Amino acid sequence: MSIEQLAETAQAMVAAGKGIIAIDESNATIAKRFAGVGIENTEENRRAYREMLLTTPKLGDYISGAILYDETIRQSTKAGVPFTKVMMDNGIIPGIKVDKGTFPLAGFQGEVVTEGLDGLRARLEEYYKLGARFAKWRAVINIGDDIPSGTCIEANAHALARYAALCQEVGIVPMVEPEVLMDGEHDIQTCYEVTEVTLRALFDALYNHNVMLEGTILKASMIVPGKDSGEEASVEDVAENTLMCLKTAVPAILPGIVFLSGGQSDEDATAHLDAMNRMGPNPWPLSFSYGRAMQSAALKIWSQDLVNNVRKAQDTVYARARDNGMAALGQWKSKAA
């Protein structure tokens, strides 16, 4: 696939007023979410849940793409239509999570590195045949006493760059996600500094691996104080700090940036995105790639009646997509307002 086609896909992923829904939870993660609402974690229940999400009427109005899990990209609706076909028919680009999760970084207490590069080329070729046109790889950076280390940041940036180069080789747009976790007692300033160093290392590594930025999307975490810090940051503080950090470290040629919700409440994730877009114009479109912040309310509704509550749950998914789509334009109106 040419760079033009990769760039076209990347631009479609961040089309005005649209964002990404992340439904790429591993079976272990979905088991926890299901347990929380009393749903048995069977393959059929996982399939039915993903079908409920992906067949939400008019979802394509505000959702440009969905990140799937290996099991999900192979599944079909009850009527036998592959999920990827349902998505493409509704203007939603299929994406796939390809990393194998985080593992302790040997020699560095409290730090992790993401694995999954072995055999990745062959997996990406198969995912392309299954319909995936973008992929996601998540690195995790913890903030704590004397961490993150330069070694941890470098190891994760290197893995993200190798993954991104492999994606582009087979015609898949890489979404690179270096998540700086909210967990911890650090203040907002520390989050800013760690995020800036992480982003600089990431773009250095992408450059060194000949990754074409025009065909790459950044999935970024916002600049927020650690959740055990006791520090309160206003919506404006988070938006201003996040924008300043991104402008310092992210090249303007990137087609777009999508944010992860990363443990923020549904409302906060939307309010922060909206504030950043109101502060524009910005060098890149700023949109969303939310998982829990798009699904948690719908999952609660669906769990009460897996057959009869489908439409009611879908209405919630659509409402969340619309709120975040409006926030991506800087036009969201808070219920409290």
Side-chain angles (χ1 to χ4, degrees):
M1 186 186 273
S2 67
I3 181 59
E4 284 79 20
Q5 286 167 302
L6 283 167
E8 220 169 273
T9 302
Q11 284 158 8
M13 288 165 67
V14 288
K18 292 188 181 191
I20 309 277
I21 183 169
I23 54 173
D24 58 344
E25 304 88 353
S26 66
N27 291 350
T29 301
I30 202 93
K32 286 181 209 148
R33 304 264 165 90
F34 277 6
V37 290
I39 297 174
E40 194 187 345
N41 182 30
T42 62
E43 186 181 347
E44 175 49 30
N45 282 346
R46 292 192 298 270
R47 190 207 61 75
Y49 177 57
R50 265 69 183 248
E51 176 171 357
M52 180 274 288
L53 294 168
L54 290 171
T55 57
T56 295
K58 295 191 179 162
L59 189 63
D61 291 358
Y62 301 104
I63 296 294
S64 58
I67 311 169
L68 308 176
Y69 183 59
D70 179 79
E71 176 181 83
T72 318
I73 199 169
R74 304 168 192 281
Q75 288 174 328
S76 302
T77 64
K78 214 163 180 55
V81 183
F83 283 160
T84 48
K85 180 166 170 25
V86 171
M87 292 166 70
M88 291 189 279
D89 287 349
N90 291 301
I92 298 171
I93 305 164
I96 180 76
K97 166 195 158 87
V98 298
D99 67 66
K100 300 277 194 182
T102 59
F103 293 83
L105 181 61
F108 291 84
Q109 189 69 37
E111 300 198 271
V112 293
V113 67
T114 301
E115 296 187 0
L117 289 170
D118 287 358
L120 181 56
R121 181 179 269 125
R123 288 195 293 129
L124 287 166
E125 284 167 356
E126 186 194 7
Y127 288 140
Y128 186 89
K129 286 187 189 125
L130 288 168
R133 290 300 174 265
F134 74 97
K136 187 199 87 166
W137 179 289
R138 173 175 174 256
V140 174
I141 306 296
N142 288 299
I143 300 179
D145 294 339
D146 299 325
I147 64 171
S149 62
T151 307
C152 171
I153 289 173
E154 204 146 305
N156 278 294
H158 177 81
L160 277 163
R162 282 191 56 199
Y163 140 80
L166 284 163
C167 283
Q168 291 188 340
E169 180 185 88
V170 303
I172 286 177
V173 171
M175 182 186 277
V176 288
E177 179 183 0
E179 180 178 2
V180 176
L181 289 190
M182 270 173 85
D183 304 346
E185 297 173 0
H186 54 277
D187 59 11
I188 196 166
Q189 186 56 35
T190 306
C191 177
Y192 184 109
E193 287 161 11
V194 170
T195 304
E196 184 185 343
V197 170
T198 301
L199 289 171
R200 285 181 184 276
L202 169 64
F203 284 100
D204 271 356
L206 292 173
Y207 177 76
N208 289 333
H209 283 260
N210 291 334
V211 172
M212 297 172 288
L213 295 186
E214 312 91 300
T216 304
I217 295 286
L218 172 65
K219 181 165 177 171
S221 40
M222 297 183 198
I223 308 298
V224 290
K227 61 177 186 223
D228 301 324
S229 66
E231 183 184 350
E232 291 286 330
S234 70
V235 169
E236 278 66 35
D237 282 349
V238 171
E240 280 169 8
N241 276 287
T242 303
L243 273 180
M244 181 68 80
C245 186
L246 293 170
K247 285 176 180 171
T248 306
V250 179
I253 195 171
L254 204 74
I257 298 172
V258 293
F259 290 99
L260 53 98
S261 45
Q264 299 179 47
S265 72
D266 295 4
E267 183 98 353
D268 285 352
T270 307
H272 291 145
L273 176 62
D274 181 65
M276 281 186 261
N277 280 303
R278 286 178 192 263
M279 290 171 185
N282 296 308
W284 342 256
L286 300 177
S287 191
F288 60 92
S289 174
Y290 294 161
R292 253 177 304 186
M294 284 286 300
Q295 299 178 45
S296 51
L299 178 58
K300 280 194 190 107
I301 293 167
W302 185 67
S303 70
Q304 287 154 17
D305 188 333
L306 306 194
V307 177
N308 296 317
N309 273 10
V310 168
R311 195 54 212 264
K312 208 166 150 194
Q314 288 178 333
D315 289 345
T316 311
V317 176
Y318 181 80
R320 294 293 307 131
R322 187 187 55 222
D323 281 356
N324 288 309
M326 296 314 283
L329 297 169
Q331 295 171 4
W332 175 67
K333 288 181 179 58
S334 156
K335 308 266 188 302

